Amino acid sequence: NTTNLSRNNCCEKINSRIFIFSQYIMLINEYREERKLKAYRLILRKLISLIMPFVFGYRLRIRLYKIMVVNINDDHEVYIGRECFIDDEFPELITVKKGACISFRVTIVAHDSYKGIVKPVIIGEKAFIGTGSIILPGVSIGEGSVVAAGSVVNRDVPPKTMAAGVPNKIIKTLP
């Protein structure tokens, strides 16, 4: 009897996890259905993301990201370094505000297919993101904040603070 109860509990846990996972998948699929992109737009985004590591000149990179529909507020004051990966599947959910500096090899994603998460990412005015950092879905980096190199940002960074680590922690408040 106890083995049957433990098997039933185990089966119930597995079934509930499958149900939760299927709900997340439905959320990501609902978002895809809601925005209804044309095939040429998807192909263009993939092509741009393929050539992006070879593009010299940050102004050209910013123009190409704008073609991908990344929300870049003031392209004359924004810097995006080489070999950055900005989510090519949901780029419209990423906002880079005036004066932001995104260093070399930063990854910014607005979705997680495994968890089924689709959330916007906002990089505030005059924010700095260090080399090799990873910005996860649903994160907002405040105005004048600094994200140290190699950080994994999985929660919001308040304005005028420095965050570092895996996962990120607030290190200090900036003047």
Side-chain angles (χ1 to χ4, degrees), residues 39-133:
Y40 77 90
R41 197 67 151 149
L42 292 171
I43 292 168
L44 180 66
R45 285 180 180 178
K46 295 294 181 184
L47 288 173
I48 289 173
S49 68
L50 282 173
I51 64 165
M52 203 56 87
F54 309 106
V55 173
F56 289 95
Y58 74 96
R59 297 215 180 191
L60 178 58
R61 280 193 297 275
I62 289 171
R63 285 192 189 119
L64 290 172
Y65 283 128
K66 279 188 156 190
I67 291 170
M68 284 177 60
V69 195
V70 174
N71 299 315
I72 300 174
N73 289 358
D74 188 357
D75 55 329
H76 295 293
E77 293 188 32
V78 170
Y79 176 81
I80 299 176
R82 289 195 61 215
E83 294 186 33
C84 287
F85 175 77
I86 295 181
D87 195 336
D88 59 355
E89 202 164 328
F90 299 101
E92 68 274 6
L93 295 176
I94 298 170
T95 302
V96 181
K97 294 190 178 177
K98 181 179 172 182
C101 179
I102 301 171
S103 297
F104 176 71
R105 287 193 177 164
V106 171
T107 301
I108 303 171
V109 291
H111 81 288
D112 183 347
S113 295
Y114 179 73
K115 292 181 179 178
I117 297 171
V118 180
K119 293 182 181 176
V121 174
I122 299 169
I123 299 169
E125 289 186 26
K126 297 182 181 175
F128 175 82
I129 301 173
T131 302
S133 295

Side-chain angles (χ1 to χ4, degrees), residues 8-9 14 34 38 49 68 98 102 119 153 155 170:
N8 288 340
N9 287 342
I14 291 171
E34 183 180 302
K38 296 188 176 172
S49 68
M68 284 177 60
K98 181 179 172 182
I102 301 171
K119 293 182 181 176
V153 184
R155 55 184 163 254
I170 305 304

Side-chain angles (χ1 to χ4, degrees), residues 133-134 147-155 163-171:
S133 295
I134 300 171
V147 174
S151 299
V152 175
V153 184
N154 63 346
R155 55 184 163 254
V166 180
N168 73 310
K169 293 180 182 126
I170 305 304
I171 303 299

